[in-house]
């Protein structure tokens, strides 16, 4: 059985970790702002659809952790520690070369590729 108070506490932890207000969190996972407010206040219980939206939009949130507190947050299991592939130098007539490329991801992480 899911303890709604503990689940609400874990939702707040997710929001704090991602530095999201209730309205920003609602927009990110695609639910109405009032839904978040009602869940956080204890008026409503989160639906399965709500839980699935949270875990599909925020991939570092494990469904078992969110529902039962089992596991870890953030779940970084899918993040790989492989070295980035080397850059190839494009043919450029102006003599310019690429020194590095930085890619920023939606979750706030980034990868840096250097020549």
């Amino acid at each position: 059985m899911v303890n709604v108070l503990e689940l609400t506490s874990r939702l707040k932890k997710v929001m704090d970790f991602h530095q999201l207000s209730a309205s920003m969190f609602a927009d990110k996972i695609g639910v109405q702002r009032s839904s978040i407010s009602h869940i956080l206040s204890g008026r409503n219980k989160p639906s399965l659809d709500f839980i699935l939206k949270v875990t599909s939009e925020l991939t570092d949130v494990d469904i078992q952790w969110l529902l039962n507190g089992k596991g870890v947050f953030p779940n970084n299991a899918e993040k790989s520690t492989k070295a980035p592939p080397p850059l190839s130098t494009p043919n450029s007539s102006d003599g310019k070369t690429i020194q590095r490329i930085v890619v920023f991801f939606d979750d706030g992480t980034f990868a840096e590729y250097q020549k």
Side-chain angles (χ1 to χ4, degrees):
M1 187 99 179
V2 176
N3 184 328
V4 179
L5 291 175
E6 290 177 3
L7 186 139
T8 302
S9 172
R10 288 188 287 273
L11 277 176
K12 289 178 184 177
K13 186 181 280 190
V14 169
M15 290 169 47
D16 289 342
F17 179 81
H18 289 283
Q19 299 177 343
L20 297 170
S21 66
S23 61
M24 290 168 55
F25 184 64
D27 293 343
K28 184 164 184 73
I29 65 170
V31 298
Q32 292 184 358
R33 294 176 181 182
S34 60
S35 296
I36 297 290
S37 174
H38 293 165
I39 290 169
L40 294 177
S41 70
R43 176 179 170 197
N44 293 354
K45 294 178 182 177
S47 66
L48 177 59
D49 185 50
F50 176 85
I51 298 297
L52 292 175
K53 284 182 179 185
V54 171
T55 57
S56 65
E57 186 62 37
L58 301 170
T59 57
D60 60 348
V61 179
D62 180 61
I63 193 167
Q64 290 298 322
W65 175 82
L66 188 58
L67 292 174
N68 303 313
K70 296 178 182 174
V72 295
F73 173 77
N75 178 10
N76 294 323
E78 74 254 3
K79 292 187 180 174
S80 125
T81 58
K82 293 191 311 185
L87 290 176
S88 61
T89 306
N91 294 333
S92 175
S93 61
D94 61 2
K96 294 180 180 179
T97 59
I98 298 172
Q99 292 181 356
R100 70 181 180 154
I101 296 175
V102 180
V103 179
F104 296 92
F105 299 100
D106 291 339
D107 65 357
T109 61
F110 66 93
E112 184 173 350
Y113 302 92
Q114 293 187 356
K115 187 174 178 181

